[in-house]
Amino acid sequence: MQIQDLPYPDPGVPDARSGPRFLWWLGRNQLGGQLKSLAWGLLHFLSVSVLPFCVGLAVEAVVARSGKRLALAGGLLALACAGNAIGSTGLHRAAVTNWITAAARVQQLLARKASQLGSALTRRVAAGEVVAVSTGDVEKIGWFVEAMSRFTAAALTVVIVVVGLVVYQPALGVVVAVGLPVLALAVLPLLPRATRRADHQREKAGRATELASDTVAGLRVLRGIGGEELFLDRYRRASQEVRHAAVRSARMWALISAIQMLLPGLLLIAVVAHGVGLAREGRITVGELVTVYSSVMILTYPLRHFEEIAMAYSFSKPAARRAARVLSLERATAGGGSLAGEVPAGDLYDPATGLLAPAGRLTAVVCGDPDAAGRLAERLGGHPGEPGTSVLLGGVPLDELPLATARTAVLVQDKDPVLLSGTLQELFEVPASGAVDAREALAAAQCEDVLAALVQGSLDIDDAMDARITERGRSLSGGQRQRLALARSLATDPEVLVLDEPTSAVDSHTEARIARGVRELRTGRTTVVFTSSPLLLDRADRVVLVHEGEVAAVGLHRELVHKEPRYRAVVTRETEEEPLPDAVRDGRAALRHALEEIEETA
């Protein structure tokens, strides 16, 4: 796999049982790239390690006044330099490719899992953790996968050079063979403490990221209630905790780096002291002493990769553990897709609650508990938060349909739909039947003032479809964002459209026009609206009251508001203990009639 071939046609099925298993799975799936990087790494490190032998051979040639041996040493030196240049270039390209392709594989796996889980993901994993996994953790995992091949090449090079030194000059080679393992293993006792400090730092950073994400998402509300400074103070404290944790972690890694620098120096001193004594006794030549000394100096370069792999593993292990935790999440229902991928048609029925939405009709659902209404809406879309009996569409269980087919059949718009940044035209570039034009959907959702505001706020833009929307639509009001999201849902024209409180942020006049527009545009299509608004309820063909998880009443709005006390309590905010005065009730009725007249004349 090359970078230009990304994304993967299929990133595979990960082993998400634990962080180390996930890292091992990634390494196995990039075996070709790892072997290529290993080959280039061996060429690079061995070419570097041959340089001291060439220098020693040249010194001996000068001492022996042999021109042929000096020319041979020069040729070998040039060959080693060429191998070093070629190997370094190839190693860098292979390493970067391994890093990027591993990170891309993880990102594709996370994106696929997020697509499968839908809105259930953020209920089971904190939003800040999802952000941390998909950004910083992905890079750390890619770093370890990439570093493995370089570390393997460095370790093999060290072994080969040590064996060569023992054969070349046993007296000094044995000293090096004993000292190098000590250098490589000296920092192992410090690694657990360094890892714990790094984990603590990442935990603090994750909490700070989650706090920042939540603060930015609710900044408009925080400013409205005067709580901006309170949350900013919380973030300042959280960021200071991250800084302190980072300093403690850096101190430990600095100590490890200092040891990695100190011990090679001590080994060099030991080699030189012992080698000088051997040279005075005539047991080794000057060239051999120079060769062994230079080899020890050169070996400090591949030995650095021992420290790097330790750092990479300590950083990537918790990152892989978090990624594996997200990737191990499963849908509450299997969704095996045992049936054919044809989109079914017919009534939408939930056996758990007894809710029935007849095909081609507008059904309004009233539920006194907003959280229960949200969970029921997700169930109707095939995204239940917990195991249970599957919802039926035309008698076909949604769980037995392929996931893509089920989502094509039933579209759920939740209470807080997200608008991605981009142009308005790009906002409507979603899978759709093609039967509903974007402008028709915008008109039905009463977005005329939104379009005018977008044109006015953009430079050199005549068509509102070319206007840009900021991230999550933060430049728009809550009602404007809600109407744009509703228009996008209407434009998809699914077989079944489930809307959860689609007009909670708009005024009554606009709500009345939206009710009429949705009804007209969705004629002949199945639509389910979760709402307690009388203006929407009065437009519905069928109103269902869901109480304590079961259907308690079915009828028309005007019938239920007079006959069903529980329905009336939800819709009019009236309780049995404190009934509304007749004057207030009559006033509300008069207001509803006035709004209906306004709507008919609009």
Side-chain angles (χ1 to χ4, degrees):
M1 171 64 68
Q2 298 297 319
I3 295 177
Q4 61 264 27
D5 298 327
L6 294 175
Y8 288 94
D10 180 11
V13 180
D15 186 347
R17 289 176 290 178
S18 66
R21 288 178 182 271
F22 180 58
L23 292 174
W24 176 246
W25 178 84
L26 280 175
R28 291 202 324 267
N29 278 269
Q30 293 195 206
L31 187 58
Q34 296 285 357
L35 292 176
K36 184 183 296 184
S37 179
L38 175 62
W40 287 117
L42 285 173
L43 176 60
H44 169 59
F45 289 123
L46 289 175
S47 298
V48 172
S49 301
V50 167
L51 295 177
F53 291 93
C54 297
V55 173
L57 183 61
V59 171
E60 291 182 356
V62 171
V63 172
R65 298 180 181 276
S66 172
K68 290 183 179 180
R69 292 174 61 184
L70 184 61
L72 176 61
L76 292 176
L77 186 63
L79 187 62
C81 290
N84 179 26
I86 296 173
S88 177
T89 303
L91 175 61
H92 179 72
R93 290 177 60 89
V96 171
T97 299
N98 286 338
W99 190 336
I100 294 178
T101 51
R105 185 188 294 272
V106 178
Q107 285 183 325
Q108 280 189 248
L109 290 171
L110 291 171
R112 184 176 67 183
K113 180 60 65 174
S115 175
Q116 291 173 351
L117 295 177
S119 59
L121 175 62
T122 52
R123 292 200 308 271
R124 301 167 70 178
V125 181
E129 183 171 350
V130 176
V131 172
V133 171
S134 60
T135 54
D137 286 348
V138 166
E139 293 186 6
K140 295 180 179 68
I141 294 171
W143 177 27
F144 175 76
V145 173
E146 173 268 325
M148 273 301 301
S149 56
R150 288 190 292 112
F151 164 73
T152 305
L156 290 175
T157 300
V158 170
V159 173
I160 292 172
V161 172
V162 169
V163 172
L165 286 176
V166 172
V167 174
Y168 177 71
Q169 180 45 253
L172 288 178
V174 171
V175 176
V176 177
V178 172
L180 280 179
V182 175
L183 295 183
L185 302 177
V187 298
L188 288 183
L190 299 177
L191 288 179
R193 181 178 297 181
T195 302
R196 286 194 299 270
R197 291 190 178 185
D199 289 345
H200 181 67
Q201 175 196 347
R202 281 185 291 274
E203 180 182 354
K204 293 291 185 182
R207 292 178 181 174
T209 301
E210 183 176 354
L211 179 60
S213 177
D214 292 343
T215 302
V216 171
L219 191 57
R220 185 188 297 269
V221 178
L222 291 176
R223 286 175 175 172
I225 63 176
E228 182 180 3
E229 285 301 323
L230 174 63
F231 276 80
L232 288 178
D233 287 340
R234 289 183 182 178
Y235 179 73
R236 290 189 188 100
R237 290 195 297 270
S239 64
Q240 288 302 310
E241 291 177 1
V242 174
R243 184 179 67 85
H244 290 309
V247 170
R248 293 185 71 249
S249 178
R251 286 173 180 169
M252 184 56 65
W253 288 112
L255 176 60
I256 292 175
S257 298
I259 292 174
Q260 292 281 16
M261 295 295 293
L262 174 64
L263 293 183
L266 296 177
L267 179 61
L268 277 175
I269 294 173
V271 169
V272 171
H274 185 54
V276 169
L278 293 176
R280 286 179 177 178
E281 296 173 4
R283 296 171 58 183
I284 64 172
T285 65
V286 175
E288 291 174 337
L289 177 60
V290 171
T291 298
V292 175
Y293 171 79
S294 302
S295 296
V296 174
M297 288 193 64
I298 290 295
L299 282 178
T300 58
Y301 170 55
L303 281 174
R304 293 176 190 169
H305 291 77
F306 286 75
E307 176 190 354
E308 182 190 8
I309 196 64
M311 291 182 64
Y313 183 72
S314 67
F315 278 93
S316 64
K317 182 180 177 181
R321 185 169 60 245
R322 285 194 292 266
R325 183 163 60 248
V326 174
L327 294 174
S328 64
L329 298 175
E330 298 293 340
R331 287 167 51 85
T333 53
S338 59
L339 298 180
E342 298 181 0
V343 178
D347 297 342
L348 183 68
Y349 177 67
D350 178 26
T353 59
L355 174 61
L356 173 66
R361 309 290 293 275
L362 174 59
T363 302
V365 180
V366 176
C367 187
D369 183 357
D371 293 333
R375 291 192 295 269
L376 178 54
E378 291 175 354
R379 275 184 54 78
L380 295 179
H383 315 294
E386 54 189 24
T389 307
S390 174
V391 171
L392 306 178
L393 178 59
V396 179
L398 288 181
D399 294 349
E400 298 182 12
L401 291 173
L403 185 59
T405 304
R407 289 182 172 176
T408 300
V410 184
L411 173 66
V412 179
Q413 177 181 302
D414 59 18
K415 294 184 181 70
D416 187 22
V418 176
L419 302 180
L420 301 179
S421 59
T423 65
L424 188 58
Q425 182 65 45
E426 292 171 342
L427 179 69
F428 284 87
E429 291 178 355
V430 292
S433 67
V436 178
D437 182 73
R439 296 186 183 276
E440 292 178 341
L442 288 166
Q446 302 301 308
C447 294
E448 293 83 358
D449 62 320
V450 183
L451 301 181
L454 289 173
V455 172
Q456 186 176 3
S458 303
L459 297 176
D460 301 327
I461 294 295
D462 296 327
D463 189 351
M465 302 302 291
D466 296 327
R468 295 196 64 81
I469 299 174
T470 58
E471 182 186 2
R472 299 181 68 90
R474 289 196 175 96
S475 61
L476 303 173
S477 67
Q480 290 174 329
R481 290 196 301 270
Q482 195 173 59
R483 282 179 282 162
L484 282 180
L486 174 60
R488 179 180 58 186
S489 300
L490 292 173
T492 61
D493 190 38
E495 183 68 28
V496 178
L497 177 61
V498 180
L499 303 172
D500 189 2
E501 295 289 352
T503 60
S504 59
V506 301
D507 60 82
S508 299
H509 293 277
T510 306
E511 188 176 31
R513 293 194 294 269
I514 290 176
R516 183 183 63 181
V518 170
R519 180 178 177 84
E520 292 176 354
L521 194 64
R522 292 289 299 173
T523 299
R525 291 290 206 180
T526 306
T527 308
V528 181
V529 182
F530 285 80
T531 183
S532 59
S533 168
L535 295 172
L536 287 175
L537 294 170
D538 199 41
R539 285 284 182 178
D541 299 312
R542 175 186 176 92
V543 179
V544 180
L545 172 65
V546 177
H547 182 68
E548 295 183 352
E550 295 182 353
V551 172
V554 180
L556 295 178
H557 166 64
R558 302 192 183 192
E559 297 174 353
L560 293 176
V561 84
H562 290 95
K563 297 179 180 179
E564 179 57 56
R566 290 172 296 183
Y567 178 84
R568 184 168 59 250
V570 176
V571 174
T572 65
R573 307 296 190 269
E574 175 186 340
T575 63
E576 294 182 359
E577 292 78 6
E578 297 181 358
L580 291 175
D582 292 339
V584 176
R585 191 178 303 167
D586 294 341
R588 287 191 172 182
L591 177 60
R592 284 197 299 270
H593 291 307
L595 290 174
E596 292 173 1
E597 293 178 0
I598 294 173
E599 178 190 352
E600 293 175 357
T601 57

